[in-house]
Amino acid sequence: MTLLANHPDTPFAAKLLQRRQLSEDTALFTLAPEAAALPSLSRFIPGQFVQLSVPGAGEIPISPADLAHEDGTVDLCVRRVGHVTDALHQALEGSTLGLRGPFGAGFPLAEMEGHPVLLLAGGLGIAPLRSLLLHLLRNGERFGEITLMYGAKKPQLMLFREELAELAARGGLRLYLTVDFAPEEPWGGFSCAVGLLPDLLKGFSFDAANSYAAICGPPALYRCLGADLERAGVAPQRILLSLERRMRCGIGRCCHCALGQKLCCVDGPVFRLSELKEIPEAL
Ligand SMILES: Cc1cc2nc3c(=O)[nH]c(=O)nc-3n(C[C@H](O)[C@H](O)[C@H](O)COP(=O)(O)OP(=O)(O)OC[C@H]3O[C@@H](n4cnc5c(N)ncnc54)[C@H](O)[C@@H]3O)c2cc1C
Ligand code: FES
């Protein structure tokens, strides 16, 4: 694939280095983009998204689960739900995909420095939050206490569970896991509560007035977690939500992702609760 350097419409070639199955329908794809993509990828901020193209199938927005700034390898955690994601799950290691971006607004990292950060992930929402979590842990001295609350339907659907347990064991991360339904059989190695993600917040003691919270998961979670966090004392400007809307261009041209007067692809996908309160259809 040839490139027109830095043109946001033109994908760079990216080799599929490795594919690791995380659950029955979700896998982690590690891509090595061509060298010319590295200057733009080096500007990646957790929460931003890339447009991934699978030749012959199409292009989809995905928020990287990590992006290594040294060599530009990109981790994409993708659930198989339809046409393009099907084709991606069938792609062989070594095949060439396309990548453009990163695009959109990510988490306000500089502003979050010095504050405790509470991450709340539901289901596949752990994918975009993983890049934020890894950034916070790699730069732990610049942030306050880091807490992750992660809920999945059942233990087998809890993505990155070994990695999260390992990160918590190393220190620097308070980790709370919950599943909607108790496992039918004994399930190895992880202690997790049984209940919904908002249940984890109940009675959780933290420095709410000084904290930032980042939420990613199914839309139904947002309204309820947003309200719970506000009630606990977190300012709505510091409650950050990553939204998903159907996208096409990814760069503010087609209005496919309009949210009131805002465009999810340029003004988001990360928004503050205070902004979203002004947009009735947002949540
Ligand atoms: C900013 C952003 C970040 C995303 N990050 C991730 C990620 O990290 N991992 C991941 O697996 N997915 C992510 N998605 C969702 C991903 O883009 C869609 O799953 C993908 O576009 C589906 O394409 P498809 O051709 O496989 O499915 P299609 O054949 O187009 O559709 C299959 C089903 O998925 C639904 N669907 C399609 N697109 C979306 C969408 N954008 N949001 C919600 N439902 C949709 C359709 O309504 C349909 O029911 C993200 C979306 C956005 C906007
Ligand atoms: S996807 Fe085209 S304007 Fe947002």
Side-chain angles (χ1 to χ4, degrees), residues 76-87:
L76 303 176
C77 171
V78 182
R79 176 173 290 164
R80 189 174 193 160
V81 293
H83 184 64
V84 179
T85 50
D86 249 5

Side-chain angles (χ1 to χ4, degrees), residues 2 35 43 46 50 58 63 92 96 102 124 126 143 153 167 169 181 213 228 234 236 238 249 257 264-265 267 276 281:
T2 8
R43 293 193 287 272
V50 294
S63 295
L92 299 174
T96 301
L124 188 61
I126 191 68
F143 296 90
K153 278 208 176 85
L167 289 171
F181 305 106
D228 290 349
V234 185
R238 290 185 178 171
C249 68
C257 64
C264 191
C265 68
D267 300 309
L276 296 181
E281 71 271 31

Side-chain angles (χ1 to χ4, degrees), residues 247-250 252-257 263 265:
M247 288 184 186
R248 273 218 182 123
C249 68
R253 275 202 209 130
C254 70
C255 291
H256 218 71
C257 64
L263 293 174
C265 68

Side-chain angles (χ1 to χ4, degrees), residues 198-217:
D199 297 338
L200 286 182
L201 257 186
K202 286 184 193 134
F204 175 65
S205 151
F206 70 117
D207 181 6
N210 197 26
S211 291
Y212 276 78
I215 314 176
C216 193

